[in-house]
Amino acid sequence: MSERIMLSVRGLKKSFGDLCVLDGINFDVKQGETVAVIGPSGSGKSTMLRCLIDLEKAQDGDIIIDGTPLMQGGVYVPDAQARAACSKMSMVFQNFNLFPHMKVIDNLTAAPLFVKKQSRDQVMPRAMELLKKVGLEDKANVYPSSLSGGQKQRVAIARALMMEPEMMLFDEPTSSLDPQLTAEVLAVMRQLSEEKMTMIVVTHEMGFAREASDKVLFMAERQIIAAGTTQEIFENPKDERVKSFISSIL
């Protein structure tokens, strides 16, 4: 696996008013790695993800994306540089966030057309290719309201891939889905992992974390309290909080 560091986070701190939610987060993500972020609810996992892609502002720390700073020493780079750094990443949200007034194909093509200023001739073939990849090429001309939750999430993944990111962030992408629909979405994510897409996945799906990830971060009490391979975290955890969490869900 390449040693190119796609993301480096040091000393990341985030508070909402007097409430500290991230207290000194440190980790790296290498190119091609799938990193699963697990831990109890309320430990700051989703907030951390939102800080990485500049949807939330942190108060302190460093966020370096493929060698380009988003924030250093708690100071953000100018907006244009921030957008350039974050353009290497795409995010898939828990609640899909599709545009309900747009057909599926238009959900996929909107950002490349209007943000990247690409031509329709450029984006349409790629959009259909990605819909085929997620098994939904027959849904190109329907509205999101006619899709199941699993189909919506697969469209959301295809839409994120349209921006040709070098890294994908997933924020509990299956938490609102039933087991059958969860399996549909996880199958697409496993394929991306096998293709060595760099991914950070906040998840409660321990099977995915255990089978598809290269590295696991365990968050609790506003910090990453354990980081290691799936074997180190799931089979031989050193921290009692990790042991207790793993034993309660497996």
Side-chain angles (χ1 to χ4, degrees):
M1 184 177 291
S2 168
E3 291 300 309
R4 177 182 172 193
I5 303 297
M6 288 299 300
L7 179 72
S8 182
V9 179
R10 294 289 181 272
L12 187 65
K13 295 187 178 184
K14 168 68 179 173
S15 297
F16 293 104
D18 294 331
L19 178 65
C20 176
V21 291
L22 299 173
D23 189 15
I25 299 292
N26 302 286
F27 69 99
D28 292 327
V29 179
K30 297 175 185 174
Q31 184 181 31
E33 274 190 326
T34 296
V35 178
V37 185
I38 65 171
S41 296
S43 55
K45 302 184 297 295
S46 294
T47 299
M48 178 188 76
L49 217 57
R50 292 174 67 84
C51 287
L52 299 181
I53 200 166
D54 206 23
L55 292 175
E56 296 280 0
K57 296 292 187 185
Q59 279 80 40
D60 200 5
D62 300 342
I63 301 173
I64 311 297
I65 303 165
D66 194 20
T68 302
L70 171 63
M71 177 175 73
Q72 283 189 300
V75 178
Y76 281 88
V77 300
D79 287 347
Q81 289 177 246
R83 285 193 298 272
C86 291
S87 70
K88 294 178 180 286
M89 301 186 289
S90 286
M91 187 161 171
V92 177
F93 299 88
Q94 178 179 339
N95 295 318
F96 326 127
N97 287 14
L98 299 178
F99 299 116
H101 62 291
M102 289 184 177
K103 292 178 180 179
V104 164
I105 192 70
D106 297 321
N107 265 278
L108 265 67
T109 59
L113 286 172
F114 298 110
V115 177
K116 284 195 164 186
K117 307 298 184 184
Q118 294 176 343
S119 71
R120 186 162 289 276
D121 288 344
Q122 283 178 285
V123 303
M124 287 298 289
R126 176 159 173 78
M128 291 308 300
E129 175 190 330
L130 286 171
L131 285 177
K132 185 175 182 180
K133 183 185 185 77
V134 300
L136 292 172
E137 65 267 39
D138 60 330
K139 302 294 185 182
N141 291 304
V142 306
Y143 288 95
S145 59
S146 69
L147 302 177
S148 70
Q151 290 171 330
K152 289 177 184 176
Q153 196 60 291
R154 284 184 282 154
V155 170
I157 292 171
R159 181 178 65 176
L161 290 169
M162 280 295 293
M163 295 301 281
E164 301 178 279
E166 296 191 45
M167 180 162 48
M168 295 273 286
L169 311 181
F170 292 85
D171 186 12
E172 299 191 18
T174 61
S175 64
S176 61
L177 304 178
D178 67 33
Q180 181 179 349
L181 300 181
T182 292
E184 294 176 4
V185 174
L186 291 181
V188 174
M189 293 171 62
R190 282 192 175 92
Q191 183 182 351
L192 291 174
S193 179
E194 289 166 4
E195 293 169 356
K196 295 302 179 185
M197 167 62 76
T198 308
M199 303 197 297
I200 306 175
V201 184
V202 170
T203 185
H204 290 292
E205 292 294 329
M206 294 302 110
F208 176 86
R210 194 169 191 170
E211 296 159 20
S213 61
D214 301 293
K215 182 162 63 181
V216 180
L217 308 179
F218 184 91
M219 287 186 68
E221 300 167 24
R222 307 178 302 282
Q223 297 177 322
I224 294 172
I225 62 170
T229 65
T230 53
Q231 184 174 11
E232 288 168 337
I233 298 299
F234 284 96
E235 297 176 22
N236 191 30
K238 301 289 193 294
D239 190 285
E240 287 301 323
R241 291 164 292 185
V242 182
K243 286 183 182 178
S244 176
F245 180 83
I246 296 296
S247 64
S248 71
I249 58 174
L250 294 181

